[in-house]
Amino acid sequence: MSEGQVTNPRPRDDVAFEDVTDSSFVYEFGGPIGAAAMILGFPLLMAYQFLCVYDNGGHFLLPDSFSDIAAWAGRMGQRYWEIAAPSWTGARIYLGFTFFMVGLAFVCPGPVMYGYKLPSLGGQRLAYKCNALWSWWVAVITALALHFTGLFRLTQIIDNLGPIMSVAMLWSFFLAGAVYAVTVARNAKHRASGNVIYDYCMGVCLNPRIGTLDMKLFTELRVPWPMLFFISLSCAFKQYEELGHVAPELVFMVLAHWLYANACNKGEECVITSWDIFYELESWYLLFWNLAGVPFSYCYTSIYVLKNGPMGFSVLWNILCFTLLIVGYFFWDTGNSQRNRFRMYWNNTLIKRNAFPQLPMSFIDDAKYLQTQHGNKMLIDGWYAYVRKPHYTADLVMSLSWGLIAGFGSFFPYFYLTFFLIVLVHRVGRDDARCARKYGSDWDLYMATVPW
């Protein structure tokens, strides 16, 4: 877990000024009506899908008839309350893990990195202590030690998954409200619409911090993906207790979620210059999805194969799924690394890290690029010489493998793929429109150079 060294920790000043952080306001997701729909709809969707996967074998729960809808909704609510109501056990597990990760963020070692210049701070750059890698490994080792000593059996996670999920949703609502209230009280709003519902949903705070802890970076990396991994690991331990062995599909899911969580944390320094960190506002939308949506919606395959497994697929099918996962991971990891380390090179913050696994093709020496009149450079080398979003394509391949390992008996193992595809289509469209405005004719040249 060597952290490497920053040869010149202060980035040079000739990197293009990121002027998009305070650009004019534009409604997204249907404005206030769409925001209200998401605030109400996402928790209901998660509750419904939880009941289908956890309590009904992965099958849809539907009313018997049109006239049964009201009674059906009542039955659904009653059943959810019976098996997933918030509990002290759920709160201890979820909040205990969250605050443990907060503590690690303050005490673990790691290099200090710097982000883009921010107009809201007069062109200053924020410093980020990148110790997520250490935090991740300390959390994994601690969890395994607690499990095997019997102090906290990891099977308690899957046994109490409903209450933990409910606590996570309530916690995200509370945090979003706190961030919104503090930002309004400090008169530090960014890109606010003036509509309270929309601003609560989409955010008005750009860089919320607790001391040196950046909330956006923390909530994007250190809670959702590690917790998703621990849910899958809990499922594997549960199956071992019940059957005396772990089936290939749960081995697959533990590996898949470990790879994803490990990659996110080992590449934390690369996330600092991402769109999510320098532009997106901390909001109910981000907090709810990071703290509740990711860990408790992307785990459906693990729950499904636990409840319905062993699946008994052929060796050939399992090899296909593992191959898709590993190949997808390789291009996803190296694709993200190529673009982010290209940015870091020109930001003079590139460091070498020996975090496992370090893959070939992660950095391109003397990378080709298009120089824009704006001042930024567009990468047209490595995987980015062939397609503009290779990391998105690879991510979709991995998400497909997460579904295929469960077969075709349920839609829910494919929820992640479906939802992710919708999100990416929206994001790509938004990114293209923003870049066209920002770069003008340079963007046309880039599109012609890398047409796919």
Side-chain angles (χ1 to χ4, degrees):
M1 292 186 292
S2 175
E3 293 299 319
Q5 297 293 324
V6 184
T7 56
N8 181 0
R10 286 287 180 180
R12 61 194 183 205
D13 293 329
D14 60 346
V15 179
F17 192 81
E18 284 300 325
D19 57 1
V20 297
T21 50
D22 288 310
S23 58
S24 59
F25 170 80
V26 176
Y27 272 131
E28 294 187 85
F29 298 108
I33 295 176
M38 288 195 295
I39 292 171
L40 294 174
F42 277 161
L44 291 176
L45 177 64
M46 287 181 59
Y48 173 77
Q49 294 189 128
F50 173 80
L51 288 176
C52 292
V53 178
Y54 194 87
D55 198 44
N56 198 48
H59 303 295
F60 286 105
L61 288 161
L62 302 172
D64 296 330
S65 64
F66 184 79
S67 60
D68 184 51
I69 292 177
W72 169 82
R75 294 193 300 270
M76 295 286 285
Q78 180 180 359
R79 182 56 179 161
Y80 184 85
W81 188 256
E82 289 172 355
I83 66 173
S87 68
W88 288 114
T89 299
R92 285 196 298 269
I93 294 173
Y94 184 83
L95 295 179
F97 173 76
T98 297
F99 286 111
F100 178 66
M101 296 302 284
V102 170
L104 292 178
F106 282 105
V107 302
C108 286
V112 176
M113 307 294 292
Y114 293 84
Y116 282 139
K117 300 175 184 179
L118 296 175
S120 58
L121 298 178
Q124 295 182 8
R125 303 173 188 267
L126 290 175
Y128 299 83
K129 187 178 182 182
C130 294
N131 58 7
L133 179 64
W134 275 93
S135 299
W136 157 242
W137 279 105
V138 170
V140 170
I141 293 169
T142 301
L144 291 174
L146 291 173
H147 177 80
F148 287 111
T149 58
L151 294 175
F152 176 77
R153 301 288 290 178
L154 289 177
T155 50
Q156 292 185 57
I157 297 174
I158 189 62
D159 290 340
N160 295 277
L161 192 65
I164 298 171
M165 182 181 74
S166 296
V167 170
M169 289 194 285
L170 292 173
W171 179 244
S172 65
F173 272 85
F174 168 76
L175 274 187
V179 170
Y180 177 81
V182 170
T183 304
V184 171
R186 295 176 58 190
N187 195 28
K189 294 187 291 184
H190 293 267
R191 303 196 303 273
S193 70
N195 182 282
V196 174
I197 294 175
Y198 184 86
D199 289 344
Y200 171 76
C201 179
M202 300 306 295
V204 292
C205 184
L206 185 59
N207 303 114
R209 292 199 156 204
I210 302 173
T212 58
L213 180 66
D214 186 87
M215 283 186 62
K216 277 199 296 185
L217 190 61
F218 176 87
T219 56
E220 180 160 326
L221 298 181
R222 304 195 191 203
V223 174
W225 301 107
M227 184 159 289
L228 177 63
F229 166 74
F230 286 124
I231 291 172
S232 290
L233 186 61
S234 175
C235 290
F237 281 130
K238 186 70 175 180
Q239 188 175 71
Y240 184 82
E241 286 187 357
E242 294 175 347
L243 303 179
H245 70 275
V246 181
E249 52 270 11
L250 265 177
V251 173
F252 176 96
M253 291 312 303
V254 171
L255 173 63
H257 291 162
W258 179 85
L259 284 171
Y260 214 106
N262 185 71
C264 288
N265 286 284
K266 79 182 176 77
E268 180 188 26
E269 75 279 3
C270 296
V271 181
I272 293 170
T273 55
S274 70
W275 175 266
D276 288 353
I277 300 304
F278 80 80
Y279 180 81
E280 295 282 19
L281 299 166
E282 187 71 299
S283 60
W284 175 87
Y285 173 68
L286 284 183
L287 285 168
F288 181 87
W289 206 249
N290 282 329
L291 300 182
V294 167
F296 300 101
S297 293
Y298 297 175
C299 65
Y300 293 148
T301 301
S302 299
I303 300 171
Y304 177 78
V305 297
L306 171 66
K307 297 288 185 178
N308 296 277
M311 307 306 292
F313 297 131
S314 68
V315 173
L316 184 61
W317 183 257
N318 289 330
I319 290 175
L320 171 65
C321 292
F322 274 91
T323 301
L324 282 175
L325 173 66
I326 299 303
V327 171
Y329 174 78
F330 175 81
F331 284 100
W332 174 73
D333 190 311
T334 55
N336 276 307
S337 181
Q338 286 177 6
R339 71 187 180 102
N340 286 306
R341 288 178 176 172
F342 173 77
R343 292 172 182 167
M344 293 170 69
Y345 174 81
W346 288 103
N347 202 36
N348 205 30
T349 55
L350 180 66
I351 61 173
K352 283 190 174 182
R353 304 187 79 179
N354 297 320
F356 177 81
Q358 288 296 310
L359 302 176
M361 296 295 294
S362 292
F363 177 71
I364 308 166
D365 292 313
D366 299 320
K368 299 176 184 177
Y369 59 86
L370 291 178
Q371 179 66 56
T372 69
Q373 297 178 28
H374 181 275
N376 287 354
K377 297 171 175 61
M378 296 180 183
L379 178 63
I380 52 170
D381 209 340
W383 311 139
Y384 294 84
Y386 305 101
V387 289
R388 296 193 296 273
K389 305 288 186 182
H391 53 300
Y392 286 174
T393 305
D395 217 341
L396 287 171
V397 171
M398 285 196 295
S399 66
L400 174 62
S401 74
W402 294 12
L404 292 175
I405 196 65
F408 302 98
S410 172
F411 159 76
F412 295 101
Y414 296 90
F415 169 78
Y416 172 49
L417 172 64
T418 305
F419 178 81
F420 192 44
L421 183 60
I422 295 170
V423 169
L424 289 187
V425 168
H426 172 266
R427 174 166 286 196
V428 168
R430 185 176 64 170
D431 287 355
D432 285 351
R434 178 183 68 89
C435 289
R437 292 193 304 268
K438 181 176 180 179
Y439 298 117
S441 60
D442 289 328
W443 182 249
D444 295 333
L445 176 59
Y446 174 70
M447 296 278 282
T449 305
V450 189
W452 299 100

